[in-house]
Every structure is written in structure tokens, then in C-alpha cells.
Amino acid sequence: QRSIDIRCRFKKHRWHRKILKCNDPLIFSVGWRRFQSIPVFSTEDQNGRHRYLKYTPEHMHCHATFYGHQVPPNTGILAIQRISGNLPGFRIAATGNTLELNESFDIVKKLKLVGTATKIYKNTAFITGMFNSDLEVSRFEGASIRTVSGLRGQIKKTLREGQPGSFRATFEDKILMSDIIFCRTWMPVEVKKYYNPVTSLLIKNGADGWRGMKPKAQLQVETQTPIEVNPDSIYKPIERTEKKFNKLHVPKRLEAALPFKSKPKDESKRKKKSYISKRAVVMDADEKKKHTFLQAVNTIRNEKVAKKKESNARRQVERAKENARKEEAINAALKVTLKRKYRADGKIQAARERKRLHG
């Protein structure tokens, strides 16, 4: 039969230990055939777009697209990672059922293009670093872009001068030179055309005699190859210089037109002490007598408040002890009552059991 791309509803088996990785070979059992293929996992968004997934979800269904033979829709599918060797654990990796067949399926994954501003004129800016050629810019004319601070913009035209791939863009408001501009796009993912039928029953050694493609992790373990580390993927400490913003300046004419509650009321800090703080206050005999009397009254009041707080704290401690004793007595009485109740229930249950056995 002619081979074709198959899209199926796919779910990792709950007893399988690990989640499945995209582009790792799996052995599929579909109908009467067993074959090895390379699946691409995806999930369907609300707008019908099939978004690429690197791994299968933990407890949810997803879509798997792989290259295989023609099968009718709603055919059951069983997936196994390896059939040779004595492997511990549960070997059935995933289950599912076919949904549709086609020559090719559209699966896309996110691609974020990043650029920086070189010149800024009010709401217009010249952006560089996002594209490599003028042809790429012409393909993205009219596309929406965005700054990290949230200002939206649009790609207008390519620039003749400057680095190849530079373009002119307009934004909602004036951007800063430190702003990073990015464009969210989608790039297609291709399903690998790999189909290897499992002919273990036709080989002398059975499953051990059939050789299929091995996943990358298994090859790294067997050949003792270290895992490739991409230097760009390593997290680095972020060092950001602290920005110093200019002070807000409100023109005098505008300030005069503003209502009182909106007018700036921040008084500048005095460099010299004011006259009121520097002047000496000399009290006469009558004022001194009043001041001394108020000090004495405040001292007596503070003493009374301190004594009241102390007596309240002692009273709270005694009340807590009394409540603990009462609760302990209530719990003891409840325990005795429950013990009697459970004993009576046990006797009734035993009598019913004897009656049931002896008729």
C-alpha cells in the first residue's frame, strides 16, 4: 500500500515512567502491521492551528503525526519504544486512535525575531538585527511588532543604507534606544518520512534479530558520548545598569490651569534651617507652671496604662490555662462516651453476624 502521513489522537500511558520526546523513534502497532516511525507531537489551538510540542503532556491527550501506511480513521494505535532486550518496567509507551490521513499536515512552532533600534524620530524608528536581507523584510511588510515595554508597532519599508535587513517601523509612542523589539512568527515543522516495518517473526532470532533506529539518548549512553551543551542556552547573570530618569517638569502656564489637587506639591528640602526651628522659646513663670503640670499628668497616665496592660496580660494567661483544663475534661468525657457507643455497636454487629451464619 502507498505510505502517507497519519495524524492520531495520542496519550502517554499512565504506567509508563517517562514522557515521550518529539522526533524520537517509536514502534507503532496499527491494525495488522508493526512498523517504526518518527512522530511529531502537536496540540490544536482554538483557531485550528496545530502547535508543535517538544514532549507529550503528562496527563492529557495530544496529536501525533507520523509517516505510515494507509489505515481507516478511528483505528487503534499502540506505541512501544523498544521490543528487543529485557527491559524493566512497563513497555507500552502510549495509546491512541487515528483521526485523518493526508499527504502532509501543517504543524508550526513559535519563532521570535529580535531587533534593536538605531535611530528614533518621534513615533518612527530604524530597526536592525531582526532580518538578514531586504528580501526577508519585504516578506514581513505590514507585520505587527512589539517592544518589551509593551508598545505596539508595524514594519513599514526596508532601508537602502545601513546593515542589510534594516527597516523602518512606526510605533504607538516614542520608543527608547534601550528597548528591544521583537516579532512573533510561526515556522513550519516537517514530518520525517521514515517507515521501517518490524519483521521480527520472519527473522531467525526473532525480535533480537530486527534492528531499528535508536533514540539519541540511548546512543549517547551506549557510546558514552557527553550531552551537547549549547553555550547560548546556559543561563548567565543579568547585569542591568540602573536608569536615572529626568525629573518631571510641568510648565508654569499648565500648572496654573490645573486644579489644586493635581498641582505638584513636593517642596524641595531646605538647605538651611528655617526661622521657626532656629528661634529660642522663652517661657514666663505662668507658662512654666502649666508645662510642668502637663508633664506630671502625662507621667501618671502613662503609669496607669502600663499597669493596665500588665494586669490584662496576667488575666489572659490565667484564662488560657482555665480553658485548657475545661477542654481536657470535655475530651476525656467524650472519649468514654465514644468507647461505650463503639462497644455497643460492635455487640449489635456481632449478634447480626451470628444470626446470619446460624440462620
Side-chain angles (χ1 to χ4, degrees):
Q1 279 187 353
R2 191 164 60 92
S3 296
I4 200 167
D5 282 353
I6 303 170
R7 175 174 282 166
C8 64
R9 196 162 178 262
F10 205 68
K11 186 181 180 184
K12 182 192 81 72
H13 201 283
R14 67 173 73 177
W15 292 347
H16 195 261
R17 290 183 179 179
K18 296 181 180 179
I19 56 176
L20 306 177
K21 188 178 179 182
C22 188
N23 286 328
D24 268 1
L26 284 176
I27 297 163
F28 294 95
S29 175
V30 185
W32 294 100
R33 290 182 176 84
R34 288 191 300 169
F35 59 94
Q36 190 180 42
S37 188
I38 298 174
V40 175
F41 303 128
S42 63
T43 181
E44 189 175 3
D45 293 337
Q46 287 183 344
N47 56 4
R49 181 198 296 124
H50 283 268
R51 185 163 42 86
Y52 170 86
L53 294 176
K54 193 173 183 181
Y55 299 96
T56 54
E58 191 73 40
H59 304 293
M60 283 173 57
H61 284 88
C62 67
H63 287 168
T65 309
F66 55 90
Y67 189 66
H69 60 272
Q70 289 184 345
V71 288
N74 208 24
T75 304
I77 292 177
L78 196 71
I80 301 170
Q81 282 188 321
R82 288 167 65 184
I83 58 172
S84 60
N86 188 13
L87 297 174
F90 196 73
R91 292 206 298 177
I92 296 173
T95 55
N97 58 293
T98 57
L99 296 176
E100 53 183 329
L101 312 175
N102 207 335
E103 288 291 338
S104 63
F105 288 102
D106 292 331
I107 301 170
V108 291
K109 67 176 179 180
K110 281 183 183 178
L111 178 65
K112 190 181 280 187
L113 305 173
V114 180
T116 52
T118 53
K119 288 183 181 179
I120 299 170
Y121 307 98
K122 288 192 177 179
N123 291 10
T124 305
F126 292 169
I127 313 298
T128 185
M130 189 175 288
F131 303 108
N132 296 322
S133 66
D134 296 344
L135 182 64
E136 290 182 7
V137 177
S138 62
R139 287 189 64 186
F140 281 87
E141 279 182 10
S144 60
I145 54 178
R146 196 182 183 94
T147 64
V148 175
S149 55
L151 290 174
R152 293 172 296 182
Q154 191 178 30
I155 297 172
K156 290 298 181 182
K157 286 284 184 182
T158 181
L159 297 176
R160 292 180 182 177
E161 68 277 352
Q163 188 180 343
S166 302
F167 61 92
R168 179 173 59 87
T170 56
F171 293 91
E172 293 174 320
D173 200 356
K174 188 176 180 180
I175 65 170
L176 301 174
M177 288 294 285
S178 58
D179 271 336
I180 298 170
I181 299 97
F182 58 89
C183 178
R184 288 178 177 170
T185 59
W186 300 92
M187 64 175 292
V189 179
E190 188 181 353
V191 179
K192 292 181 174 62
K193 306 294 183 184
Y194 174 72
Y195 179 85
N196 185 8
V198 179
T199 55
S200 58
L201 297 177
L202 307 176
I203 297 174
K204 186 177 179 182
N205 297 331
D208 294 330
W210 177 83
R211 292 188 65 182
M213 184 188 287
K214 295 179 181 179
K216 188 179 178 183
Q218 186 183 344
L219 289 171
Q220 283 176 339
V221 171
E222 289 178 359
T223 57
Q224 295 182 351
T225 307
I227 298 170
E228 295 176 7
V229 179
N230 186 3
D232 293 337
S233 300
I234 297 171
Y235 288 103
K236 303 179 184 77
I238 300 169
E239 296 176 2
R240 290 193 180 96
T241 55
E242 190 175 349
K243 286 186 179 181
K244 292 183 179 178
F245 295 99
N246 295 331
K247 191 176 179 182
L248 179 66
H249 175 68
V250 182
K252 289 185 178 179
R253 188 179 292 177
L254 177 63
E255 188 178 341
L258 289 172
F260 178 76
K261 66 176 182 179
S262 301
K263 287 183 180 179
K265 304 175 187 65
D266 299 330
E267 293 184 3
S268 58
K269 193 175 180 182
R270 291 177 179 271
K271 294 181 180 178
K272 295 181 180 180
K273 289 187 177 180
S274 63
Y275 164 73
I276 295 172
S277 61
K278 285 194 296 184
R279 72 179 181 181
V281 180
V282 181
M283 293 186 288
D284 58 8
D286 193 31
E287 285 178 343
K288 278 185 181 178
K289 192 183 289 184
K290 289 178 183 176
H291 186 68
T292 308
F293 176 71
L294 285 173
Q295 276 187 330
V297 170
N298 285 333
T299 305
I300 294 168
R301 184 177 62 82
N302 292 340
E303 191 69 25
K304 282 183 178 179
V305 169
K307 284 182 179 179
K308 194 172 183 180
K309 282 185 179 178
E310 192 178 347
S311 62
N312 284 342
R314 283 200 303 270
R315 201 179 300 115
Q316 284 177 359
V317 171
E318 290 172 2
R319 193 183 295 120
K321 288 181 181 178
E322 183 67 26
N323 289 339
R325 282 197 295 271
K326 286 180 181 178
E327 194 172 347
E328 192 177 348
I330 290 169
N331 288 338
L334 184 64
K335 192 175 180 181
V336 172
T337 305
L338 289 174
K339 195 172 181 181
R340 288 174 184 167
K341 181 178 177 297
Y342 294 150
R343 191 175 178 186
D345 290 347
K347 287 181 178 179
I348 292 169
Q349 191 69 24
R352 286 177 182 170
E353 191 67 22
R354 283 198 301 270
K355 188 176 181 182
R356 186 180 66 81
L357 292 173
H358 299 297

